[in-house]
Amino acid sequence: QKEVEQDPGPLSVPEGAIVSLNCTYSNSAFQYFMWYRQYSRKGPELLMYTYSSGNKEDGRFTAQVDKSSKYISLFIRDSQPSDSATYLCAMRGTGGGNKLTFGTGTQLKVEL
Amino acid sequence: EAQVTQNPRYLITVTGKKLTVTCSQNMNHEYMSWYRQDPGLGLRQIYYSMNVEVTDKGDVPEGYKVSRKEKRNFPLILESPSPNQTSLYFCASREVGTSGKNEQFFGPGTRLTVL
């Protein structure tokens, strides 16, 4: 079983929809949780970061972490065609050389 | 402009022919890392370096070597490439001891095909 599970999609939504992306994990040592966005033929770019449990909002994006359920989410409000990308969740503990453990990514397409 | 650069961006080679993928960052980051990305497997760490002359294995180090002689550069070396090393490779860097917005900053990727 993988340490981090993420539904690969693809997920197709109409413009303006609310998108929910999720990851589950098994390692209780994870403390830092991130979402990266990866456009085709590009490197991942950091979108959201959360430490431990809680919510964080940045514009149209909200990240949630529920450590008791080992479940993290990314919500995108008023989705735009420019949001079409692959979204990767990533997480790490406090040691281990800062190693990030990634989900496999969810491919999102926002249609006009 | 703060960035991580990789060269080459695309490479097709043959089994057994030694190759090097270069990585350079201009942000004075201590930590650098190499990942490979494969369909269905996501990003997996190959090697990382906490600072100059300090390197360590990640999850999938077999068949790869790295060196860190200068802070800005972290080349990935495939001494004898094999077809199972066909993949998309990313270099990343970050400051040590910080978090949040200073999480790992990725390069544009190198697509390697080994025939």
Side-chain angles (χ1 to χ4, degrees):
Chain A
Q1 185 186 2
K2 293 177 184 174
E3 273 191 300
V4 179
E5 299 277 358
Q6 184 175 9
D7 188 332
L11 181 61
S12 184
V13 301
E15 184 178 9
I18 297 174
V19 176
S20 172
L21 304 169
N22 312 293
C23 288
T24 58
Y25 64 96
S26 58
N27 189 341
S28 57
F30 289 145
Q31 298 283 342
Y32 299 91
F33 303 92
M34 287 134 275
W35 286 94
Y36 284 82
R37 179 175 60 196
Q38 186 176 18
Y39 291 114
S40 181
R41 304 192 208 287
K42 301 282 188 183
E45 56 178 330
L46 181 65
L47 194 60
M48 295 288 286
Y49 160 88
T50 310
Y51 171 67
S52 194
S53 285
N55 293 357
K56 186 170 184 177
E57 188 173 323
D58 185 0
R60 297 184 295 111
F61 299 89
T62 299
Q64 288 185 351
V65 174
D66 181 350
K67 289 189 69 181
S68 63
S69 302
K70 296 189 176 67
Y71 187 87
I72 70 170
S73 300
L74 177 71
F75 297 95
I76 308 173
R77 291 182 298 282
D78 188 25
S79 55
Q80 304 293 311
S82 59
D83 296 327
S84 298
T86 296
Y87 290 80
L88 304 161
C89 64
M91 46 200 79
R92 67 176 177 92
T94 54
N98 295 279
K99 188 190 85 168
L100 287 176
T101 300
F102 284 86
T104 52
T106 299
Q107 186 179 350
L108 172 67
K109 185 171 184 180
V110 182
E111 314 244 25
L112 286 168
Chain B
E1 181 190 355
Q3 60 183 348
V4 177
T5 57
Q6 296 178 225
N7 281 293
R9 293 290 313 281
Y10 301 91
L11 180 60
I12 300 175
T13 190
V14 296
T15 299
K17 186 176 181 182
K18 181 180 178 180
L19 65 93
T20 299
V21 183
T22 64
C23 173
S24 183
Q25 49 94 3
N26 63 0
M27 295 165 281
N28 202 36
H29 286 168
E30 295 89 352
Y31 179 93
M32 297 185 74
S33 180
W34 276 102
Y35 292 85
R36 60 178 289 173
Q37 187 175 34
D38 302 289
L41 298 175
L43 280 152
R44 295 176 293 167
Q45 191 181 56
I46 303 170
Y47 269 95
Y48 66 94
S49 169
M50 297 294 284
N51 214 323
V52 175
E53 301 292 2
V54 180
T55 64
D56 210 344
K57 297 177 180 178
D59 293 324
V60 288
E62 295 78 20
Y64 304 95
K65 285 175 58 176
V66 292
S67 69
R68 188 87 182 275
K69 292 184 170 52
E70 304 167 283
K71 198 172 187 179
R72 62 182 294 128
N73 296 323
F74 190 45
L76 179 70
I77 303 153
L78 285 72
E79 294 270 3
S80 183
S82 62
N84 65 10
Q85 293 177 298
T86 293
S87 187
L88 181 57
Y89 291 86
F90 290 101
C91 182
S93 73
R94 63 160 287 184
E95 286 186 48
V96 172
T98 60
S99 57
K101 280 294 186 183
N102 290 325
E103 284 296 331
Q104 292 185 40
F105 189 69
F106 283 81
T110 295
R111 184 166 293 280
L112 172 65
T113 301
V114 183
L115 302 174

